[in-house]
Amino acid sequence: MLQGIFFLVAIIGLIFSKSRMMRIILIGYIGVVIAFNSYNPDYSSYMLIYRNPSAAQEEIGFRLLCGIANRIKLSYDQFHFIIVVLGLILLIKGTNWLFKMENVRATNYYLVSYMFYPMMMDVVLLRSFLSTCMILYGFHFLLQKRRGHYVTTILVASTIHVSSLFFLLFLLEDKIHHIVLTSNMITGNRKTNKKKHRRIILISFTIIVTLLAVLRFEILQNLMTMMGFNALKVDIILDGSNINAKMIIYGIIIGMINFVPFMLNRRMAKKARDIDCIGNYDNLMFTVNLVLLINIVLVIYSDQFLRLLGVGVMLNSIYYAVLMNRENRQSRRWLIMLTGLIAPVFLFWYRMFVYETANGIPYIDYVFKCVLENNFFINYFK
């Protein structure tokens, strides 16, 4: 029944995408699922960290939050509730800022997208959830060209989860946009245009090869260990010794399943001239999706880096919501909505039905059912 309610709320949220009442219901549902969670696969591990943060290997910002909560005698569940509420406030506030800056109404679409991915993983990965919300909040600083504020936000988020540093690459927006713009300029010289396109391919290839070299020669691993990160965790995430053809294929598919719908929707919006009035936002989102292609290499090394893609999926869902608001034809709005859902729905299926624990338990039972069935709020009414 609880699983059915999940999909029912998602479907109704899409149908009534502009309903304020439905938005309150969606936010309330998401808040109940995450904030009142009473058990998940990482619940015990987080409780151990919370009880003795000084002995934990997690980032200093999260240990500091645990220490403060311990001092004021909060239980772990109370601490967890406060962290989730804080994260949701940042997420909703940051998203509303983006909608306001683009002069469109907030919609429920991005909340439904979030429910499919990465919400279920955010319930389990508390640090990743909070850092993701901080990144999404800081994104409006980047759109306003307040780069100092954005960098500060990312650095603070990295004290909760170090993977947040990846999103400093979004600062390359102007450089990437300049390269792409000059490569698309009609100069009347086909030979010159071919050289510019080859330049983009060469730069992209160089970045990917450099990243592979840094990982294969364990430069990044050694650097992270020297910085004080847990060597065991670094080895688990960046070992790379078990890479095979299946992992490479899955990594490429996962990267493309997010990138291709973005490019299709962007191209349709350009043809309809819906993109003309959101030029700066569109340029930034183009950079976001190009940068996330680099993450394909990291995902092949470890599925831990799917959390980075989760941020990209969320940012794209907000972008699609903006496009839908500017589209007058209902058929085109539905097309944007359905193509935009490809990535979160695929990733939901991939995580819940393809993944299994060492004991052969599928994630649909290990995570999805576990999260929905272990909830203080729901169990209170049983």
Side-chain angles (χ1 to χ4, degrees):
M1 180 180 177
L2 292 174
Q3 293 89 331
I5 293 173
F6 173 89
F7 292 104
L8 182 63
V9 170
I11 292 169
I12 295 175
L14 288 177
I15 295 172
F16 298 98
S17 61
K18 294 184 179 180
S19 168
R20 182 170 295 181
M21 179 57 69
M22 193 62 217
R23 191 172 309 128
I24 293 171
I25 292 172
L26 281 165
I27 293 170
Y29 180 80
I30 291 169
V32 166
V33 170
I34 306 178
F36 288 96
N37 177 250
S38 58
Y39 186 76
N40 63 70
D42 280 8
Y43 186 88
S44 299
S45 299
Y46 271 106
M47 187 173 287
L48 289 174
I49 295 168
Y50 179 73
R51 288 175 177 172
N52 191 9
S54 60
Q57 296 292 328
E58 273 59 39
E59 286 80 352
I60 188 171
F62 187 75
R63 287 188 281 121
L64 180 62
L65 290 175
C66 291
I68 293 171
N70 273 313
R71 282 181 174 273
I72 57 178
K73 307 297 183 183
L74 293 178
S75 68
Y76 171 71
D77 292 317
Q78 290 170 329
F79 167 73
H80 175 269
F81 177 85
I82 292 171
I83 290 295
V84 172
V85 170
L86 175 63
L88 288 176
I89 290 172
L90 290 172
L91 170 63
I92 295 164
K93 186 70 175 176
T95 305
N96 286 342
W97 265 108
L98 288 172
F99 285 132
K100 186 177 180 181
M101 289 170 65
E102 298 308 318
N103 296 315
V104 296
R105 289 174 55 191
T107 69
N108 301 329
Y109 173 77
Y110 81 96
L111 293 170
V112 175
S113 174
Y114 175 70
M115 282 177 60
F116 281 104
Y117 195 83
M119 184 182 83
M120 281 298 158
M121 302 315 299
D122 278 352
V123 180
V124 180
L125 307 170
L126 183 63
R127 292 186 301 121
S128 179
F129 164 75
L130 181 57
S131 61
T132 294
C133 292
M134 294 173 72
I135 293 164
L136 290 169
Y137 176 79
F139 196 72
H140 79 275
F141 291 135
L142 197 55
L143 190 56
Q144 293 172 322
K145 305 295 184 182
R146 296 162 69 185
R147 291 184 174 83
H149 288 73
Y150 177 74
V151 170
T152 300
T153 304
I154 297 300
L155 292 178
V156 173
S158 71
T159 68
I160 306 298
H161 203 292
V162 69
S163 63
S164 304
L165 292 174
F166 177 85
F167 299 101
L168 289 175
L169 291 174
F170 291 170
L171 293 167
L172 297 174
E173 178 210 350
D174 289 340
K175 191 68 175 178
I176 290 175
H177 177 58
H178 174 72
I179 293 172
V180 173
L181 182 65
T182 54
S183 70
N184 289 328
M185 287 176 62
I186 299 174
T187 62
N189 188 328
R190 184 176 293 181
K191 187 175 181 181
T192 302
N193 284 333
K194 282 185 177 180
K195 284 183 178 180
K196 289 176 179 177
H197 281 98
R198 282 198 292 266
R199 179 186 171 196
I200 292 174
I201 295 171
L202 180 62
I203 291 171
S204 304
F205 181 76
T206 301
I207 291 172
I208 292 174
V209 169
T210 302
L211 179 59
L212 283 170
V214 167
L215 290 168
R216 291 307 276 177
F217 291 106
E218 300 189 353
I219 297 171
L220 180 60
Q221 293 89 319
N222 292 331
L223 179 62
M224 290 178 69
T225 303
M226 288 171 58
M227 292 171 64
F229 293 101
N230 186 300
L232 180 60
K233 283 189 175 183
V234 172
D235 286 339
I236 291 173
I237 296 173
L238 297 174
D239 177 51
S241 60
N242 296 319
I243 294 176
N244 52 43
K246 182 179 178 181
M247 291 175 66
I248 294 172
I249 292 170
Y250 268 131
I252 294 172
I253 290 173
I254 288 168
M256 291 296 105
I257 213 75
N258 183 60
F259 184 75
V260 172
F262 167 78
M263 291 302 294
L264 289 174
N265 279 315
R266 184 173 184 262
R267 178 169 292 184
M268 286 192 298
K270 276 195 167 186
K271 286 183 178 179
R273 304 191 69 84
D274 292 334
I275 233 164
D276 293 351
C277 50
I278 57 166
N280 291 334
Y281 184 33
D282 176 69
N283 293 335
L284 181 55
M285 286 305 303
F286 185 63
T287 300
V288 166
N289 282 275
L290 284 181
V291 167
L292 284 170
L293 290 179
I294 299 172
N295 192 45
I296 292 175
V297 177
L298 299 175
V299 168
I300 291 170
Y301 261 78
S302 173
D303 57 16
Q304 297 283 331
F305 290 102
L306 281 173
R307 70 187 71 201
L308 303 183
L309 187 58
V311 177
V313 170
M314 280 296 296
L315 288 172
N316 276 348
S317 70
I318 299 167
Y319 176 75
Y320 300 146
V322 170
L323 292 183
M324 281 187 281
N325 266 291
R326 295 196 175 279
E327 179 57 61
N328 294 321
R329 288 164 291 181
Q330 183 61 39
S331 59
R332 289 290 290 270
R333 284 199 293 267
W334 278 103
L335 183 59
I336 295 169
M337 181 183 296
L338 294 175
T339 52
L341 281 174
I342 291 173
V345 171
F346 174 85
L347 286 166
F348 175 84
W349 169 83
Y350 176 73
R351 290 293 280 179
M352 298 304 154
F353 292 98
V354 175
Y355 270 65
E356 292 183 347
T357 66
N359 298 324
I361 303 172
Y363 267 43
I364 190 69
D365 296 320
Y366 185 64
V367 175
F368 186 68
K369 292 180 181 178
C370 176
V371 165
L372 292 182
E373 292 171 359
N374 292 278
N375 190 282
F376 289 116
F377 185 83
I378 294 172
N379 290 338
Y380 178 79
F381 293 97
K382 284 186 177 180

